[in-house]
């Protein structure tokens, strides 16, 4: 099973509602390893790049205004099949359809103010990690507890 790295953005609603710690806590408790973590204020051009697939949608201007309304927290996390694992932890885009136990299902009632962004494929994850982190902002480090987060053959 491949160890993957994925990009997470904790959106302005998460910061405004004081939920940053709880969401990061869930990622850590699941066993994902933190490789990068920073707070930043998005501008429109970064939104256009990150949400290029949504430009032209009726809700896009509102999405830009939301995503630039306050800082976000960007995370790069890794673990076995991390891209799928993190997407599953988030739940679907419309948080009202998200199951309890997922991040969106526990913390949001909104399609837009849905707490968290996570890369949707390994290919996207590579591009998105590079979009938000310089090489020197990413840390590969040996974590003592990794003997207990998955068996050795799951981390090749
Ligand atoms: P995802 O975040 O679940 O991958 P995407 O379709 O990539 O969903 O959309 C990116 C973000 O755009 C969503 O997380 C949400 O904040 C916003 N968004 C997507 N669809 C809608 C919509 O129909 N109305 C309002 N906002 C939307
Ligand atoms: Mg998406």
């Amino acid at each position: 099973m491949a160890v993957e790295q994925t990009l997470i953005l904790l959106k302005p609603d998460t910061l405004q509602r004081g939920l940053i710690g709880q969401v990061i806590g869930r990622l850590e408790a699941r066993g994902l390893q933190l490789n990068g973590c920073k707070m930043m204020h998005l501008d429109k051009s970064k939104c256009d790049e990150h949400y290029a697939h949504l430009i032209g949608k009726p809700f896009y201007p509102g999405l830009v205004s939301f995503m630039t309304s306050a800082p976000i927290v960007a995370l790069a996390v890794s673990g076995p099949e991390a891209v799928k694992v993190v997407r599953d932890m988030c739940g679907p885009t419309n948080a009202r359809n998200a199951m309890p136990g997922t991040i969106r299902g526990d913390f949001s009632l909104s399609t837009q103010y849905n707490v968290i962004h996570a890369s949707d494929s390994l290919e996207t994850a590579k591009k998105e990690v590079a979009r938000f982190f310089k090489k020197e902002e990413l840390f590969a480090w040996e974590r003592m507890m990794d003997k207990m987060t998955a068996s050795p053959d799951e981390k090749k």
Side-chain angles (χ1 to χ4, degrees), residues 11 51 53-54 59 63 66-67 87 91-94 104 111-114 116-118 120:
K11 299 183 181 185
Y51 285 131
H53 60 296
L54 298 175
F59 60 82
L63 179 62
F66 165 53
M67 289 300 293
R87 285 288 286 194
T93 311
N94 179 346
R104 286 168 171 167
T111 302
Q112 184 161 101
Y113 296 11
N114 58 6
I116 187 166
H117 164 85
D120 61 11

Side-chain angles (χ1 to χ4, degrees), residues 64-128:
V64 172
S65 116
F66 165 53
M67 289 300 293
T68 59
S69 65
I72 57 145
V73 174
L75 308 170
V77 304
S78 60
E81 294 185 69
V83 173
K84 176 196 164 6
V85 164
V86 173
R87 285 288 286 194
D88 287 349
M89 287 178 79
C90 292
T93 311
N94 179 346
R96 294 184 296 281
N97 295 333
M99 291 293 286
T102 63
I103 291 166
R104 286 168 171 167
D106 286 347
F107 295 129
S108 173
L109 284 170
S110 170
T111 302
Q112 184 161 101
Y113 296 11
N114 58 6
V115 174
I116 187 166
H117 164 85
S119 307
D120 61 11
S121 71
L122 187 55
E123 196 191 347
T124 314
K126 285 178 183 158
K127 285 187 201 148
E128 291 186 342

